[in-house]
Amino acid sequence: MRYIPTSPSERRALLASLGLERVETLFDSIPEKFRLRAPLRLPPAMAEADLVAHLRKMAEQNLDPHTASIFLGAGAYRHFAPAVVDHILSRAEFYSSYTPYQPEFSQGTLQTIFEFQTMICQLAGLDAANASLYDGASALAEGVLLAHRAKRRNRVTIAGHVHPEYLAVTRTLTSTLGVRLESVPAGADGAVDRDRLQRSLGPDTAAVVVQQPSFLGRIEEIGPIAEAAHAAGALCIVAVTEAVSMGLLKAPGDLGADVVLGEAQSFGVPLSFGGPYLGFMAVRSEWVRELPGRLVGQAKDASGRLGYVLTLATREQHIRRERATSNICTNEGLMMLAATVFMATLGKQGMRELALQNRARAEYARNLLGQIPGCRVPHAGPVFNEFVLELPGAAAPVHRRLLDQGVVAGLPLERYFPERGRELLICVTEVHGKAAIEQLAASLKEVL
């Protein structure tokens, strides 16, 4: 627990430095009717030692990911991070400087961002990437807004299964701009129904959004989807929630995608109960001026020395607010650094080997769990490290019984899809050995 000094004398000193007498003055811009006048409903104050003991007791209610069997993914993935990631992250020169407001004094930070952008471009198969975004969900919203600006059209087609929470964030952030999100349901095989997608497109379509792999784990065929989008004059946006998959799958940009965006938490960023995470976005060069945030470039000074500069910054802090592409005000500096060190440490071959391990273990688990009497795999197509398992009865009670045994058997899909009450979305990564997978199968057999 951090020590944060807040003594009365320190508060008075802070207020005096601002020329104020009362803390409440800082909130004058909030209309009176919206201010909280009642005290917060909190238990009585505790002594520090009692508070630490109380918090520790609460924390003990969580499952320890190092001893429990956790097969949960669905947008946040447990991977092994080499020790060098934390070592570089904790260096004072990186830990304390989160964003390059004075880029000429932040050459190390700018170089890191440049290398992050370069590696994201290589994985995405596109020309330019920005200096990170808040997270995958807001990255999708920014991608939809990019297409809205670039094409001057209002309709965006969501093809197949895109993460429901990504869509909720995107609807919220685009709701006041007249952008309409319309979904084209997946086919019986769990993949994008290309015939229905084709029929849904029109002259007012700005973009087609597809997740790769889909929220249900299915690997999509990006090429035909991109062709359909382009035939309608729209952009093809590929959203990636499991970034490790890009180490194995063909780069979406090479298959026709115009924008590739998503969540890079899998690259050395711990789960941390949901954040902070790391969004990314890459585009073709023709859309580079529509990128939100900023872009770092490489340059040489008058003496020919290599350096790094802010090449593009379409933020409201750098240009007129009405001309800014987004109100994204920062890159996720520390998370971006973790991802950069992670990718650089593994290298091209290491990234591929990591992805292959995920793919192989997930396939082993899918085959093994699918053979349990009464269970079946409803979608037989290719997957990466997640797949749907259908149980003989309701999934939620089975999931709860396994949870009591310290096993998190994926995600009950009923949470997002009421019609999928018998299905679990199970994730297997390199941290799950053969014994852990077989134990999951044995535990599931026992409770069914």
Side-chain angles (χ1 to χ4, degrees):
M1 191 165 67
R2 291 182 179 181
Y3 172 66
I4 303 173
T6 56
S7 69
S9 61
E10 287 165 330
R11 290 184 206 173
R12 282 195 298 274
L14 286 169
L15 287 169
S17 70
L18 297 171
L20 304 175
E21 294 184 354
R22 300 167 58 248
V23 171
E24 288 75 10
T25 311
L26 294 170
F27 307 113
D28 279 349
S29 59
I30 301 174
E32 183 72 23
K33 64 180 179 181
F34 294 124
R35 295 186 204 173
L36 181 66
R37 293 301 179 191
L40 293 172
R41 285 184 292 179
L42 295 173
M46 296 180 181
E48 182 177 343
D50 293 338
L51 178 61
V52 170
H54 176 66
L55 293 175
R56 187 169 289 125
K57 193 171 181 181
M58 289 176 66
E60 286 171 355
Q61 296 179 48
N62 293 316
L63 287 178
D64 182 348
H66 300 292
T67 56
S69 294
I70 300 176
F71 294 86
L72 183 62
Y77 301 91
R78 186 170 161 236
H79 290 287
F80 178 78
V84 67
V85 175
D86 269 352
H87 174 72
I88 301 294
L89 232 59
S90 356
R91 289 183 64 94
E93 57 267 49
F94 287 119
Y95 197 74
S96 58
S97 54
Y98 86 108
T99 192
Y101 279 121
Q102 293 178 298
E104 64 273 25
F105 293 128
S106 308
Q107 285 296 304
T109 299
L110 291 184
Q111 180 177 352
T112 305
I113 293 174
F114 178 80
E115 292 179 4
F116 169 79
Q117 294 172 174
T118 302
M119 288 186 273
I120 290 295
C121 284
Q122 290 171 345
L123 290 171
L126 290 173
D127 306 316
N130 69 3
S132 78
L133 294 163
Y134 292 130
D135 54 31
S138 56
L140 177 55
E142 293 290 349
V144 167
L145 290 172
L146 183 153
H148 173 61
R149 287 191 302 272
K151 292 295 181 179
R152 299 182 185 278
R153 299 176 178 182
N154 292 331
R155 191 155 67 93
V156 172
T157 299
I158 308 298
H161 291 292
V162 176
H163 198 307
E165 292 175 1
Y166 280 37
L167 294 180
V169 170
T170 301
R171 284 196 177 91
T172 299
L173 294 180
T174 62
S175 59
T176 61
L177 298 174
V179 177
R180 305 197 315 275
L181 302 184
E182 297 179 356
S183 294
V184 174
D189 60 353
V192 170
D193 185 330
R194 296 206 295 269
D195 290 337
R196 293 183 71 174
L197 172 65
Q198 188 80 46
R199 292 195 298 271
S200 74
L201 303 179
D204 59 342
T205 306
V208 173
V209 174
V210 59
Q211 182 173 323
Q212 178 72 313
S214 78
F215 181 67
L216 299 188
R218 187 73 157 75
I219 294 175
E220 301 283 6
E221 291 189 47
I222 300 298
I225 296 171
E227 285 178 16
H230 295 158
L235 299 183
C236 175
I237 299 175
V238 174
V240 180
T241 62
E242 171 50 300
V244 168
S245 68
M246 295 196 292
L248 180 62
L249 302 180
K250 192 165 184 178
D254 294 342
L255 296 169
D258 303 286
V259 181
V260 178
L261 51 82
E263 175 59 61
Q265 171 267 323
S266 291
F267 292 161
V269 178
L271 288 168
S272 301
F273 297 97
Y277 285 174
L278 169 66
F280 68 87
M281 181 185 290
V283 298
R284 296 197 182 281
S285 56
E286 62 189 296
W287 308 118
V288 71
R289 288 197 168 274
E290 299 293 343
L291 267 177
R294 57 190 144 198
L295 193 151
V296 172
Q298 198 177 59
K300 289 184 178 178
D301 66 10
S303 304
R305 294 174 299 186
L306 194 65
Y308 298 90
V309 295
L310 275 187
T311 304
L312 188 69
T314 57
R315 309 187 311 151
E316 82 287 357
Q317 289 176 334
H318 293 91
I319 62 176
R320 291 203 306 271
R321 175 174 294 186
E322 61 272 20
R323 296 194 62 187
T325 57
S326 165
N327 62 1
I328 291 285
C329 291
T330 186
N331 68 301
E332 292 285 283
L334 205 59
M335 305 303 107
M336 175 278 303
L337 176 62
T340 304
V341 176
F342 182 91
M343 289 187 282
T345 301
L346 267 66
K348 185 177 180 179
Q349 187 58 35
M351 294 281 285
R352 181 172 174 77
E353 287 178 9
L354 173 63
L356 282 170
Q357 281 192 37
N358 277 251
R359 169 81 183 89
R361 295 180 190 212
E363 193 59 34
Y364 177 68
R366 186 162 79 149
N367 290 333
L368 190 64
L369 297 176
Q371 293 172 22
I372 296 175
C375 294
R376 76 180 190 101
V377 176
H379 309 309
V383 300
F384 178 59
N385 66 3
E386 286 182 283
F387 58 90
V388 176
L389 182 70
E390 184 181 294
L391 307 186
V398 173
H399 188 269
R400 279 195 295 274
R401 287 200 290 276
L402 289 171
L403 196 58
D404 292 339
Q405 299 177 21
V407 178
V408 182
L411 173 77
L413 284 172
E414 188 179 21
R415 172 172 175 173
Y416 299 114
F417 309 103
E419 72 279 11
R420 291 182 177 269
R422 295 166 57 187
E423 296 176 352
L424 296 170
L425 179 64
I426 292 175
C427 175
V428 182
T429 74
E430 79 283 359
V431 302
H432 301 106
K434 185 180 177 187
I437 295 169
E438 291 173 350
Q439 182 58 51
L440 171 65
S443 300
L444 187 55
K445 267 186 196 175
E446 187 180 321
V447 300
L448 284 176

